[in-house]
Amino acid sequence: MSEAGGGPGWGFPVPQRAPWSLVAATAALCLVSATSVWPAGAAPMSREERQKLGNQVLEMFDHAYGNYMEHAYPADELMPLTCRGRVRGQEPSRGDVDDALGKFSLTLIDSLDTLVVLNKTKEFEDAVRKVLRDVNLDNDVVVSVFETNIRVLGGLLGGHSLAIMLKEKGEYMQWYNDELLQMAKQLGYKLLPAFNTTSGLPYPRINLKFGIRKPEARTGTETDTCTACAGTLILEFAALSRFTGATIFEEYARKALDFLWEKRQRSSNLVGVTINIHTGDWVRKDSGVGAGIDSYYEYLLKAYVLLGDDSFLERFNTHYDAIMRYISQPPLLLDVHIHKPMLNARTWMDALLAFFPGLQVLKGDIRPAIETHEMLYQVIKKHNFLPEAFTIDFRVHWAQHPLRPEFAESTYFLYKATGDPYYLEVGKTLIENLNKYARVPCGFAAMKDVRTGSHEDRMDSFFLAEMFKYLYLLFADKEDIIFDIEDYIFTTEAHLLPLWLSTTNQSIPKKNTTSEYTELDDSNFDWTCPNTQILFPNDPLYAQSIREPLKNVVDKSCPRGIIRVEESFRSGAKPPLRARDFMATNPEHLEILKKMGVSLIHLKDGRVQLVQHAIQAASSIDAEDGLRFMQEMIELSSQQQKEQQLPPRAVQIVSHPFFGRVVLTAGPAQFGLDLSKHKETRGFVASSKPYNGCSELTNPEAVMGKIALIQRGQCMFAEKARNIQNAGAIGGIVIDDNEGSSSDTAPLFQMAGDGKDTDDIKIPMLFLFSKEGSIILDAIREYEDVEVLLSDKAKDRDPEMESEEQPSSENDPPNQSAEQIITSSSQDPDLAEQAAPEERALSPPPEPAGAPSPAEMDNAANISPSEQNSDPTENHESTSLGGECTDLDDQPQEPSETEEDSNPNVSWGQKAQPIDSILADWNEDIEAFEMMEKDEL
């Protein structure tokens, strides 16, 4: 996501539109007013330090871009741990995330305008020549329409915008004759067949060579797309039309936006996450500002800025009012149901919403932007990076972090709006964390798990397109940039489009198609420039005073759930009962349950079962409270279940030339030394003989005092551990014998004992899959003496050891394909189809083929089959209770699998009914109840 470069504190009056000269002047006024103050006690960062940090960003970009060009180009992306390019079809499928790859040198195109922003004009000119010479857009590959638009079409248009700017300056690009624009036009026509639907919403995927619905296209059967996927086209398509004069692109993008607007939920003015592209029915009816919707809102506001159509601003303001009414629960932004917006759809947030404070800056609503940004920063300070998802009490929900730039984006715009040097310190922290935890010899590696510090062999193109751009601009002075950044607007991929497009080739009538607005609170529109007195009060401590109450919000132990003010004080009633507070022995709680239509049943085994009949609630409001209570109870039960699992462990290579840069996530053992309770084990590795470790070792002198490497198979894990322990090993690493197995396609599992007493095993034992184990084996072949650290999480690198590293070590073949092990065997065909998180549409981590049945766990949440089929008008949810509030920050949230021998046949129970399905049924109950209530009245 990205914000407009032309005035980060912008807000525009409604509904009249000012001429662009006035808009630019207004933006400048806002910026000057904003940057002239800073909180007392927070001294401004010196120019020397800002220059130093800016130069550090340049060096980091050179490290990432240089390694891509050396080791990966012309591939789409760099795999920074194995130092090679990611070519689609040659690597294991990662599901939907691979739809961004089209064999068109994605990272190079995505980085074009970044080169100019970072004043690397010679490199930009060379890069443009390479794109024109090498890139082919006619490949037989199915790609995401959304990702191809924002990354490739946006990258080509951003490159063209700056190429003509440089040509006008007279020094560089004098040979350029709109070649990038012609490529963009070619790509635009290749994407147009995706819009061949009755609704005008595009198909989510298209074949670059064969288009849609042909047998050889292998696509065109999809029925659903995400709101952001269909609503994040207008900037690139309109710019293509304005640049070329071909109006068809802007027309198609406008039609898609118009359809989404018409399909909004009229009472709440919210949109869902997923929509049927043929019927316009909402498939997923939850709504938020994160994954699946995010850039739809962003493009409504920016379409107004770029195109000058008042209807886009009016639509945005209507949606924004709904967001602030229902989704914003400062400092949180929680998804709700579009038909029941007072009802939270989930109790966790995803990382993509980190763009929203920056969008609020563009809107001019600074206070909530500061609040949400500060909350996110506190999460980052706790985990070094922003997890893909985290709960409302700031626990890790999904532990990955693919080096997303949205938080850096919002940091930049908040600094431009407030001038508060605090945000420079935030940016400095981001730089330090990237260098300390993500930097590897061949680039920067995504984090597989922010809790362990383990890496993933992945460096997405958006990391170069956005992260370095925002960090450099954060510390740069105006004279450090060779053009005026205020003359451009940023797309969601941070590509630059010139503002003068607003007056070019205006063949689209700017009629106001917006209708049926709800009456809005006028105060929502007071936040507009140049009203700087409201935006930036005279009190220099303004931003600090907003942040201060949130300083310790993440560190509070076991915080209570966030309760809406409207609920807390509704008719003077007490706040609704929360699942975490419930006590089955409290008579008052039992009375509240009854009012909410929830029955309590004591089971013979001592557990307590809760069953909700929404139709028996005292009112529709109580039914909603009951629904929320049951949803919270399901998630609480799920969390307690996960607490019983052991977290992943880390194998960190600490010897030359790795120096702790490579971290492999390892499966734990249910026996041996517990690394979470004892000091880590450090030592050199040695292979055991026999390699399977199933008999007395014949080379005890080789493993004495070292960490033994053993192959999986032919005997129990505990037997292997005893044999290497008897030979004097201080630890053991079991490497999977299933060649090609990888954490990319399998869930974490734990090595179980042999059914006997394993107290005699005193050494730590960890498990690595074949792909990750081969990293250590390759390192042994290359460097002989390889030292590793076995621990519960990655440790900081040793600066003394790292200082001894030779300058040429970056170019050494570092064999560090460290895609961490947080997973199990890849033999399950279901697991092979699991999709990794997309850049814009997050997905949860891979799940195992099933989950333990309710009988296997006392606190399992389940739906009783007999209850599900009893009455279609009633819903029954049974939830078993137990456990207390505990800190899950160091607990893994991914599902795990337990093995007892080398090749067990594990029998799994049936999956519990998905929460989305339960909520959909309950929503129908509530609506039916309201109808009955109206009939009675």
Side-chain angles (χ1 to χ4, degrees):
M1 295 291 166
S2 3
E3 305 308 326
W10 289 12
F12 297 99
V14 182
Q16 278 75 26
R17 173 156 180 83
W20 269 117
S21 57
L22 177 58
V23 170
T26 303
L29 172 62
C30 285
L31 190 57
V32 171
S33 300
T35 55
S36 61
V37 296
W38 55 79
M45 185 179 287
S46 67
R47 175 174 172 80
E48 290 72 20
E49 186 173 1
R50 283 189 285 111
Q51 286 182 330
K52 180 180 178 181
L53 290 169
N55 290 334
Q56 196 170 355
V57 173
L58 294 176
E59 185 279 330
M60 293 166 66
F61 174 82
D62 289 341
H63 180 65
Y65 180 75
N67 275 286
Y68 165 74
M69 296 304 296
E70 179 180 352
H71 298 293
Y73 182 78
D76 283 317
E77 290 181 342
L78 169 69
M79 300 173 67
L81 299 178
T82 50
C83 297
R84 67 178 192 271
R86 184 180 296 281
V87 179
R88 193 166 177 183
Q90 296 183 13
E91 300 294 333
S93 173
R94 301 177 297 169
D96 290 347
V97 73
D98 281 341
D99 288 343
L101 311 181
K103 298 182 179 178
F104 36 37
S105 302
L106 176 63
T107 298
L108 180 64
I109 293 177
D110 224 359
S111 303
L112 287 177
D113 51 9
T114 303
L115 289 166
V116 182
V117 171
L118 272 56
N119 202 11
K120 297 180 179 294
T121 47
K122 184 179 183 303
E123 291 88 341
F124 171 73
E125 191 160 4
D126 293 340
V128 172
R129 292 184 186 276
K130 284 185 172 66
V131 169
L132 300 179
R133 182 191 68 201
D134 300 336
V135 173
N136 177 23
L137 298 175
D138 196 39
N139 300 312
D140 180 12
V141 59
V142 176
V143 297
S144 163
V145 173
F146 167 75
E147 297 290 356
T148 305
N149 172 65
I150 65 171
R151 300 204 209 185
V152 185
L153 183 58
L156 292 172
L157 291 173
H160 170 70
S161 300
L162 297 188
I164 58 178
M165 178 273 298
L166 290 173
K167 184 177 181 178
E168 289 176 0
K169 286 181 175 290
E171 183 176 356
Y172 294 95
M173 303 299 294
Q174 296 305 299
W175 55 269
Y176 182 71
N177 192 29
D178 295 350
E179 289 87 351
L180 290 178
L181 180 59
Q182 296 309 311
M183 289 186 69
K185 187 176 181 180
Q186 177 192 359
L187 180 59
Y189 279 118
K190 284 184 172 294
L191 296 179
L192 282 184
F195 293 84
N196 188 21
T197 61
T198 55
S199 66
L201 298 179
Y203 282 94
R205 297 175 183 85
I206 194 168
N207 187 299
L208 288 176
K209 189 177 184 67
F210 297 109
I212 292 285
R213 302 184 70 172
K214 296 179 182 177
E216 58 268 35
R218 306 184 304 282
T219 190
T221 59
E222 302 93 341
T223 58
D224 305 335
T225 192
C226 71
T227 300
C229 299
T232 311
L233 299 160
I234 187 64
L235 291 189
E236 292 84 1
F237 272 50
L240 184 56
S241 288
R242 301 295 176 97
F243 272 128
T244 64
T247 62
I248 188 171
F249 304 108
E250 185 171 345
E251 290 170 357
Y252 275 53
R254 281 178 175 264
K255 183 179 178 182
L257 272 183
D258 291 344
F259 189 83
L260 289 173
W261 169 252
E262 290 301 320
K263 290 298 178 179
R264 75 193 185 282
Q265 211 290 321
R266 298 305 177 98
S267 61
S268 67
N269 281 317
L270 295 172
V271 292
V273 174
T274 309
I275 191 171
N276 186 297
I277 59 177
H278 302 296
T279 66
D281 295 332
W282 291 110
V283 179
R284 277 187 56 188
K285 300 177 182 179
D286 46 318
S287 183
V289 296
I293 303 179
D294 45 10
S295 49
Y296 163 69
Y297 294 133
E298 177 187 9
Y299 269 37
L300 283 177
L301 182 56
K302 291 183 177 180
Y304 166 69
V305 174
L306 184 63
L307 306 178
D309 189 333
D310 292 340
S311 67
F312 290 130
L313 179 61
E314 292 168 353
R315 293 179 191 183
F316 172 80
N317 280 330
T318 301
H319 284 312
Y320 188 77
D321 178 76
I323 291 169
M324 300 310 290
R325 285 175 186 268
Y326 305 122
I327 295 171
S328 177
Q329 301 176 44
L332 309 182
L333 293 163
L334 294 177
D335 285 17
V336 299
H337 296 277
I338 59 175
H339 295 96
K340 300 289 178 181
M342 297 302 294
L343 188 65
N344 287 339
R346 63 189 189 191
T347 56
W348 50 271
M349 295 164 281
D350 64 67
L352 286 175
L353 61 76
F355 92 100
F356 197 67
L359 188 63
Q360 289 178 305
V361 170
L362 181 60
K363 159 71 178 170
D365 201 355
I366 302 297
R367 184 182 186 91
I370 293 173
E371 291 174 335
T372 299
H373 180 275
E374 181 61 24
M375 176 271 292
L376 295 171
Y377 184 45
Q378 296 302 319
V379 174
I380 288 174
K381 289 202 292 188
K382 187 167 188 176
H383 300 293
N384 301 320
F385 298 98
L386 194 62
E388 278 293 78
F390 53 94
T391 63
I392 59 173
D393 47 3
F394 311 112
R395 303 173 184 184
V396 173
H397 187 67
W398 300 336
Q400 310 100 308
H401 174 75
L403 306 182
R404 294 197 184 278
E406 285 77 16
F407 181 79
E409 169 189 351
S410 289
T411 302
Y412 165 64
F413 287 107
L414 272 170
Y415 174 66
K416 297 294 286 185
T418 65
D420 189 341
Y422 175 83
Y423 296 109
L424 297 177
E425 297 297 332
V426 172
K428 181 179 180 181
T429 299
L430 297 182
I431 291 174
E432 291 173 347
N433 288 350
L434 284 170
N435 279 319
K436 187 174 184 180
Y437 301 109
R439 186 169 181 141
V440 294
C442 281
F444 291 84
M447 307 306 295
K448 183 96 174 197
D449 192 316
V450 298
R451 296 161 301 189
T452 64
S454 52
H455 292 134
E456 186 175 359
D457 203 1
R458 170 182 180 184
M459 189 178 79
D460 291 84
S461 68
F462 57 74
F463 181 59
L464 285 84
E466 301 184 65
M467 180 69 82
F468 296 113
K469 197 174 292 177
Y470 288 125
L471 288 178
Y472 183 75
L473 289 172
L474 176 63
F475 297 105
D477 290 323
K478 190 171 184 178
E479 55 268 26
D480 296 329
I481 307 170
I482 61 175
F483 63 98
D484 191 351
I485 198 75
E486 310 295 340
D487 291 338
Y488 296 81
I489 189 171
F490 284 131
T491 69
T492 194
E493 190 79 3
H495 293 307
L496 295 165
L497 300 177
L499 295 177
W500 53 257
L501 287 175
S502 63
T503 58
T504 303
N505 291 324
Q506 289 186 343
S507 57
I508 306 295
K510 294 192 296 181
K511 63 180 180 180
N512 191 331
T513 58
T514 305
S515 60
E516 298 186 39
Y517 291 100
T518 354
E519 185 175 347
L520 304 180
D521 181 0
D522 289 340
S523 64
N524 186 45
F525 307 115
D526 287 341
W527 303 85
T528 54
C529 281
N531 194 352
T532 53
Q533 185 174 0
I534 296 178
L535 278 174
F536 314 107
N538 295 327
D539 182 5
L541 294 175
Y542 173 67
Q544 181 179 336
S545 67
I546 297 174
R547 290 192 303 264
E548 197 60 36
L550 302 171
K551 286 293 186 184
N552 300 314
V553 65
V554 174
D555 294 328
K556 292 179 180 178
S557 58
C558 199
R560 306 287 279 270
I562 305 298
I563 301 175
R564 294 179 181 274
V565 175
E566 297 95 331
E567 295 172 334
S568 302
F569 301 102
R570 183 176 57 229
S571 301
K574 294 182 179 180
L577 179 64
R578 312 312 294 249
R580 196 176 297 282
D581 302 329
F582 174 69
M583 296 181 62
T585 57
N586 188 322
E588 184 179 355
H589 288 183
L590 298 180
E591 186 63 30
I592 295 174
L593 289 187
K594 183 178 179 181
K595 189 177 180 182
M596 295 189 299
V598 179
S599 303
L600 183 144
I601 304 172
H602 292 276
L603 302 179
K604 292 181 180 180
D605 59 7
R607 292 182 300 159
V608 174
Q609 186 180 59
L610 298 177
V611 180
Q612 189 201 28
H613 306 261
I615 202 168
Q616 295 180 5
S619 68
S620 59
I621 292 178
D622 290 307
E624 288 186 16
D625 290 341
L627 173 57
R628 182 184 295 110
F629 176 82
M630 295 299 289
Q631 179 187 351
E632 289 178 356
M633 192 61 71
I634 290 171
E635 297 201 13
L636 178 61
S637 177
S638 176
Q639 287 178 354
Q640 292 169 347
Q641 176 177 325
K642 290 170 182 173
E643 286 175 358
Q644 298 179 354
Q645 302 171 358
L646 293 176
R649 306 303 187 200
V651 175
Q652 192 170 7
I653 306 179
V654 296
S655 54
H656 172 83
F658 307 95
F659 301 114
R661 288 195 179 104
V662 175
V663 183
L664 311 172
T665 300
Q670 295 179 349
F671 54 85
L673 184 71
D674 186 349
L675 291 170
S676 66
K677 299 178 180 177
H678 300 83
K679 188 178 179 181
E680 67 273 2
T681 298
R682 180 169 179 163
F684 289 91
V685 295
S687 297
S688 61
K689 294 183 180 180
Y691 190 31
N692 60 31
C694 292
S695 60
E696 183 179 348
L697 267 58
T698 60
N699 64 334
E701 69 287 346
V703 301
M704 174 75 71
K706 296 183 179 179
I707 295 172
L709 302 179
I710 337 160
Q711 189 177 47
R712 173 188 176 186
Q714 302 185 28
C715 64
M716 298 291 187
F717 291 118
E719 184 178 348
K720 300 175 188 287
R722 291 188 180 97
N723 287 330
I724 64 172
Q725 179 175 272
N726 293 337
I730 61 174
I733 298 175
V734 178
I735 298 177
D736 193 11
D737 62 343
N738 181 18
E739 186 175 355
S741 65
S742 167
S743 60
D744 288 338
T745 54
L748 173 73
F749 71 91
Q750 305 172 23
M751 294 187 291
D754 52 7
K756 305 174 184 178
D757 185 3
T758 55
D759 290 344
D760 60 312
I761 302 176
K762 307 295 185 184
I763 61 175
M765 295 290 295
L766 298 180
F767 180 92
L768 293 178
F769 281 106
S770 171
K771 183 177 180 180
E772 286 73 24
S774 66
I775 297 170
I776 295 180
L777 297 176
D778 290 345
I780 293 175
R781 284 190 285 270
E782 183 75 21
Y783 304 105
E784 295 186 4
D785 293 331
V786 175
E787 189 177 15
V788 301
L789 186 72
L790 311 184
S791 61
D792 62 331
K793 60 191 301 185
K795 308 300 178 185
D796 290 346
R797 300 167 187 165
D798 188 342
E800 294 183 2
M801 293 179 62
E802 196 162 350
S803 66
E804 300 172 3
E805 185 177 4
Q806 298 298 322
S808 62
S809 62
E810 273 188 16
N811 299 321
D812 292 341
N815 300 308
Q816 39 242 51
S817 150
E819 295 187 28
Q820 309 52 279
I821 308 217
I822 306 187
T823 45
S824 181
S825 145
S826 58
Q827 296 173 347
D828 191 331
D830 293 333
L831 295 176
E833 297 299 319
Q834 290 288 350
E838 287 193 56
E839 183 215 342
R840 308 296 174 184
L842 280 76
S843 303
E847 296 183 359
S853 66
E856 294 172 359
M857 293 192 179
D858 287 342
N859 58 359
N862 65 79
I863 302 293
S864 169
S866 62
E867 292 170 347
Q868 289 182 51
N869 300 325
S870 60
D871 188 341
T873 65
E874 294 184 7
N875 288 286
H876 309 268
E877 170 59 29
S878 59
T879 304
S880 303
L881 307 176
E884 298 177 354
C885 182
T886 56
D887 189 0
L888 293 184
D889 290 329
D890 295 323
Q891 296 289 338
Q893 297 279 347
E894 290 82 350
S896 66
E897 178 182 326
T898 302
E899 289 197 19
E900 291 192 359
D901 54 27
S902 60
N903 192 18
N905 294 318
V906 181
S907 175
W908 294 94
Q910 296 298 316
K911 285 187 179 179
Q913 183 177 347
I915 289 180
D916 285 348
S917 174
I918 299 169
L919 295 179
D921 291 341
W922 280 345
N923 280 333
E924 292 177 4
D925 281 354
I926 294 173
E927 291 169 2
F929 182 93
E930 287 180 333
M931 292 299 296
M932 292 176 59
E933 196 174 46
K934 291 178 182 178
D935 291 342
E936 291 174 359
L937 292 175

